[in-house]
Amino acid sequence: MAEKISESEKKKEDWMNSKWRPMMGWSYMLTCIADFVIFPVLWSVLQAISKGQVNVQWQPITLQGAGLYHIAMGAVLGIAAYGRTQEKLGGANNGGLSTPVSGGTTYTPPAAIPQSPTSNFGLPAVSGFSNAPTAGFGSGAGFGAPAAEVITGFGGKPAPVIPPFPEK
């Protein structure tokens, strides 16, 4: 009798394929704990028991060779995390959630409002000067008051367009 394999069994991947990223993280963490915590303590205890004093400090094994082990593990874990992020954005094992194909945000900036920088006399505005009335001491403009609109920004660059507010 031929055994039929269900669709879920066909899709099920090997445990090594699904668990290698966490295993790399755990092995790196255990290596660091052993090399920077456990071995130095055991080394000091062994030195104290055998000679009565600690003459030589523990030299971490993973820092030999300019710490290439940590650089390599950082690269492996970083690439693994990036790959998993791309898989999740692509919809792999999202717990049933689907993301848009674009993967971007839903924010769309408001449409630009054309502004013509002209002075009161019909001449082009001079950079650094503005037609807005100045607010001095006691003029009533304070915290929470609308700011004067800037026509020209620093260095003669156009200022950002201010979107219309419902209060105006």
Side-chain angles (χ1 to χ4, degrees):
M1 180 161 37
E3 199 174 308
K4 292 187 178 184
I5 300 174
S6 67
E7 290 297 320
S8 64
E9 285 293 322
K10 288 179 185 176
K11 290 182 181 179
K12 190 174 182 181
E13 58 185 331
D14 186 35
W15 70 270
M16 186 62 171
N17 286 341
S18 63
K19 304 292 184 215
W20 75 271
R21 292 180 187 111
M23 286 178 15
M24 289 296 289
W26 282 100
S27 66
Y28 181 61
M29 183 185 71
L30 291 175
T31 302
C32 288
I33 288 173
D35 202 21
F36 296 118
V37 177
I38 297 172
F39 292 165
V41 170
L42 291 178
W43 177 261
S44 298
V45 168
L46 181 65
Q47 294 293 316
I49 291 173
S50 64
K51 298 178 186 173
Q53 61 182 357
V54 179
N55 291 331
V56 181
Q57 189 176 8
W58 170 257
Q59 298 294 319
I61 299 169
T62 58
L63 292 181
Q64 305 299 316
L68 187 61
Y69 174 77
H70 295 284
I71 295 170
M73 287 302 292
V76 168
L77 292 174
I79 291 171
Y82 176 77
R84 181 62 184 139
T85 302
Q86 295 306 312
E87 287 177 9
K88 282 191 167 191
L89 288 176
N93 195 14
N94 270 345
L97 297 176
S98 61
T99 57
V101 177
S102 66
T105 63
T106 57
Y107 172 76
T108 55
I113 300 172
Q115 293 180 348
S116 60
T118 59
S119 69
N120 291 337
F121 304 105
L123 300 172
V126 179
S127 176
F129 295 93
S130 135
N131 295 331
T134 59
F137 180 76
S139 65
F143 185 75
E149 293 187 26
V150 177
I151 296 174
T152 312
F154 179 75
K157 297 179 184 175
V161 177
I162 301 173
F165 292 99
E167 296 90 32
K168 287 187 178 183

